[in-house]
């Protein structure tokens, strides 16, 4: 049986997406001009986290407040999407539990599109508040 992380690599390759493994063991790839990561689960092989980092820089306290308002709204409205505000940036993730042999074809493209739509929704929300 393949480990789930190997299944993700196979899906990326089969879909023509070039990936690399970073120093933390995470998969980095581009999809529709966005930089994504599939985080290496290390201690939890039945957990999937796909991340779209650095979608919006936080340059002031006013911007941080607006980002928190928009993040809260998106977290409540969007299925599976998590929005995190760090000290200097905004990160989107989709996190879920999976089985031992996930059929990645059933959900990976949907996850990537949720993240892309989340990025668009975040930008729209920030523009509305500025």
């Amino acid at each position: 049986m393949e480990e789930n992380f190997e299944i993700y690599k196979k899906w990326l390759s089969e879909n023509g997406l070039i990936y690399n493994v970073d120093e933390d063991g995470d998969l980095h790839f581009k999809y529709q001009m966005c930089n994504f990561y599939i985080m290496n689960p290390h201690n939890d092989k039945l957990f999937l986290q796909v991340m779209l980092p650095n979608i919006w820089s936080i340059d002031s306290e006013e911007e941080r407040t607006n980002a928190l308002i928009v993040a809260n709204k998106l977290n409540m409205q969007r299925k599976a999407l998590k929005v995190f505000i760090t000290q200097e940036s905004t990160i989107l993730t989709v996190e879920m539990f999976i089985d031992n042999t996930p059929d990645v074809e059933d959900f990976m493209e949907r996850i990537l599109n949720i993240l892309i739509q989340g990025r668009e929704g975040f930008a729209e929300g920030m523009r509305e508040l500025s």
Side-chain angles (χ1 to χ4, degrees), residues 51-95:
M51 180 183 294
L52 179 55
N54 305 318
I55 66 156
W56 192 278
S57 66
I58 306 297
D59 300 322
S60 69
E61 282 308 309
E62 178 183 2
E63 194 167 37
R64 176 178 311 292
T65 299
N66 289 345
L68 289 168
I69 291 168
V70 174
N72 190 50
K73 182 178 177 181
L74 289 174
N75 285 335
M76 291 187 322
Q77 292 178 342
R78 304 284 176 109
K79 293 178 184 175
L81 182 69
K82 285 186 176 182
V83 182
F84 298 97
I85 308 301
T86 67
Q87 197 64 21
E88 299 172 346
S89 186
T90 306
I91 299 168
L92 304 180
T93 69
V94 170
E95 301 174 350

Side-chain angles (χ1 to χ4, degrees), residues 8 44-49 95-99 102 107:
Y8 308 144
D44 191 350
K45 302 297 181 195
L46 301 180
F47 181 72
L48 171 62
Q49 180 183 35
E95 301 174 350
M96 59 191 259
F97 294 107
I98 54 174
D99 63 21
F107 57 81

Side-chain angles (χ1 to χ4, degrees), residues 7-39:
I7 292 172
Y8 308 144
K9 290 178 182 179
K10 182 178 176 185
W11 183 86
L12 291 168
S13 294
E14 288 175 351
N15 285 277
L17 299 170
I18 298 169
Y19 66 87
N20 61 51
V21 181
D22 70 12
E23 61 276 358
D24 296 323
D26 305 322
L27 294 176
H28 170 250
F29 62 98
K30 286 191 176 207
Y31 176 79
Q32 294 188 9
M33 299 187 329
C34 295
N35 288 303
F36 291 91
Y37 289 86
I38 298 176
M39 308 307 286

